[in-house]
Amino acid sequence: MLRFLCKLRESEIIEPLIPSIKACLIHRHSYVRKNAALAVYHIHKYFGSSLIPDGAELMGRFISAETELVSRRNAFLMLFNEAEELAIEFLRENAESLENFGDGFALLVLELTRKVCRREPIQKSRFVRFLFQLIISPSAAVSYEAAWTLASLSSAPTAIRAAASTYTALLWTQSDNNVKLIVLERLAEMKERHMRVLSEVLMDMLRALSSPNVEICKRTLEIALDLVSPRNIEEVIQVFKREVIRTRECDMENKSKYRTMLIKSIHKCAIKFPDIAGSVVHNLMDFLGADGANDVIIFVRSIIQQYPSLRVEIVERLLVSFRDIVASSVLATALWILGEYIESAELLENGFEHILANVGEWSTVL
């Protein structure tokens, strides 16, 4: 009956029932109380103070005494929409217990925060405490909404850092791929305005590369490449190299596609930070006989052209890996590199011996 009254728009029918509705607010069953709170809200919403002139005060007393989560949430919904100041006052008085009021209540608090702060930015200071409480909620939905609200209302480094940390934690704690993609989009948006702060959580963000979903890995790499700096390049490259090795050792779906993305990412890092080129080129040359070998040999060619000091050791390493090459396009590029950059007579002789040893038997037609 109470749920039906929420949809009824005939004041002549509702008016005689007001005393009964109010009596239901103190019913011993929480199911009755929560629907009575909703009924008061809808009646006050559609008929103003003509039927329940004391609706806001009634809900204020009800929410202060109520302990059941849904009933309290419904009462707060009434105050949120019909008596905003009473809702804010209730929050202020119960700030210490906010995490015990349930996820539905917390989401309403966040909605109220956005509504008030966008209308009156000067009110932000009243809600910051609530946001920092909710951002560490065990509920993924609440912590995500709190992080989004905090980042959208404040550009302070402390707020952005807290929001970014929450997003990265969601990346590797949530199993739903759709959730991860949504979080990555939020991080991409933050990157445009707060790149310096976001670079501080880059290593936590890279933990998302453990996902078997290639799209998640791709989006993570795209964001990460913009956040690489001289301070974190070594750690980032170590993660990339570890992931490349993992693609060879695991049965990951689309692992060749993922390996190609990693190789291209390492290539971009090497162009941007020349000091790490020598440390990665040797690791990648282990994959000259695997899927993605064409990307590897292109990377090797690029590095040997740009860094003359690395030419001798790259050529020597290429000769060692020469026997692993199976693709004709990779072999052609490898031979071009050897012909172009072998300069000493000793290395030339050594290279010729490796080539003869690995090309197989000569086929002659008389």
Side-chain angles (χ1 to χ4, degrees):
M1 182 64 177
L2 288 167
R3 293 175 68 87
F4 172 70
L5 290 176
C6 292
K7 300 180 180 180
L8 200 61
R9 300 294 178 265
E10 302 296 331
S11 60
E12 295 83 2
I13 300 175
I14 296 175
E15 187 172 7
L17 300 174
I18 295 299
S20 298
I21 295 172
K22 290 182 177 180
C24 288
L25 290 172
I26 55 173
H27 197 278
R28 61 192 179 92
H29 288 300
S30 62
Y31 181 82
V32 176
R33 297 197 305 273
K34 72 180 181 181
N35 284 297
L38 273 182
V40 171
Y41 164 49
H42 284 91
I43 292 170
H44 195 275
K45 177 181 178 181
Y46 291 108
F47 299 102
S49 57
S50 61
L51 295 184
I52 308 183
D54 61 339
E57 292 74 16
L58 186 65
M59 281 296 100
R61 293 192 297 272
F62 174 78
I63 196 173
S64 297
E66 184 58 58
T67 57
E68 199 273 328
L69 295 181
V70 180
S71 301
R72 186 191 287 124
R73 181 258 180 200
N74 289 349
F76 189 76
L77 178 65
M78 155 77 177
L79 296 178
F80 164 59
N81 288 286
E82 303 297 314
E84 193 175 276
E85 280 304 318
L86 284 178
I88 296 174
E89 182 62 22
F90 177 79
L91 285 179
R92 188 186 64 79
E93 293 175 355
N94 296 272
E96 299 296 333
S97 307
L98 195 57
E99 64 272 11
N100 301 321
F101 287 178
D103 294 353
F105 189 94
L107 293 173
L108 273 181
V109 172
L110 293 170
E111 189 177 345
L112 174 64
T113 302
R114 291 191 291 267
K115 176 184 174 183
V116 174
C117 293
R118 285 171 180 165
R119 188 184 66 229
E120 302 176 62
I122 196 172
Q123 298 277 9
K124 288 179 182 179
S125 59
R126 301 178 68 180
F127 293 92
V128 168
R129 179 184 180 184
F130 307 137
L131 292 177
F132 276 99
Q133 280 183 267
L134 295 175
I135 205 170
I136 57 174
S137 169
S139 166
V142 173
S143 61
Y144 170 81
E145 288 291 335
W148 176 56
T149 303
L150 189 60
S152 63
L153 296 179
S154 175
S155 58
T158 304
I160 299 303
R161 192 175 292 110
S165 297
T166 300
Y167 283 149
T168 53
L170 289 172
L171 271 181
W172 46 268
T173 57
Q174 297 302 304
S175 57
D176 191 321
N177 290 334
N178 291 322
V179 172
K180 292 183 178 182
L181 288 171
I182 292 171
V183 170
L184 285 169
E185 289 307 313
R186 291 294 184 197
L187 286 168
E189 291 173 5
M190 290 180 66
K191 180 197 67 176
E192 300 302 321
R193 295 177 296 165
H194 309 286
M195 187 173 292
R196 182 183 295 273
V197 176
L198 210 59
S199 65
E200 297 176 12
V201 298
L202 175 57
M203 299 312 298
D204 290 329
M205 192 190 308
L206 289 177
R207 295 176 69 174
L209 293 177
S210 61
S211 171
N213 186 286
V214 176
E215 289 303 314
I216 291 174
C217 295
K218 178 182 178 181
R219 195 71 181 108
T220 303
L221 289 172
E222 289 172 350
I223 298 171
L225 288 176
D226 291 332
L227 299 174
V228 176
S229 67
R231 290 183 298 176
N232 57 31
I233 181 61
E234 293 292 341
E235 294 176 287
V236 171
I237 288 298
Q238 288 300 321
V239 172
F240 287 173
K241 290 197 294 188
R242 185 172 66 245
E243 288 298 307
V244 170
I245 293 171
R246 186 170 72 89
T247 62
R248 182 171 57 183
E249 297 175 348
C250 71
D251 296 327
M252 178 182 179
E253 187 179 358
N254 296 321
K255 64 180 181 180
S256 60
K257 182 179 179 180
Y258 179 41
R259 184 188 299 140
T260 298
M261 290 191 295
L262 287 167
I263 293 170
K264 290 181 178 179
S265 298
I266 293 173
H267 190 176
K268 291 177 181 177
C269 289
I271 293 173
K272 191 174 180 180
F273 302 97
D275 292 342
I276 58 96
S279 66
V280 296
V281 67
H282 296 290
N283 295 86
L284 291 182
M285 289 170 76
D286 289 334
F287 295 90
L288 285 173
D291 294 333
N294 201 52
D295 294 298
V296 173
I297 200 66
I298 290 173
F299 172 65
V300 172
R301 185 182 65 189
S302 174
I303 296 301
I304 204 170
Q305 287 174 338
Q306 293 178 36
Y307 308 109
S309 60
L310 299 176
R311 287 176 180 174
V312 173
E313 57 183 281
I314 290 177
V315 167
E316 290 176 346
R317 183 66 178 80
L318 182 58
L319 289 173
V320 173
S321 303
F322 196 82
R323 65 178 181 274
D324 299 324
I325 299 174
V326 292
S328 58
S329 59
V330 178
L331 182 61
T333 305
L335 288 171
W336 180 88
I337 292 172
L338 294 176
E340 189 71 18
Y341 295 106
I342 290 182
E343 297 176 349
S344 67
E346 181 181 353
L347 198 55
L348 179 61
E349 184 178 349
N350 188 22
F352 196 67
E353 289 176 357
H354 273 84
I355 293 171
L356 287 178
N358 290 284
V359 294
E361 294 292 330
W362 289 96
S363 176
T364 58
V365 179
L366 298 177

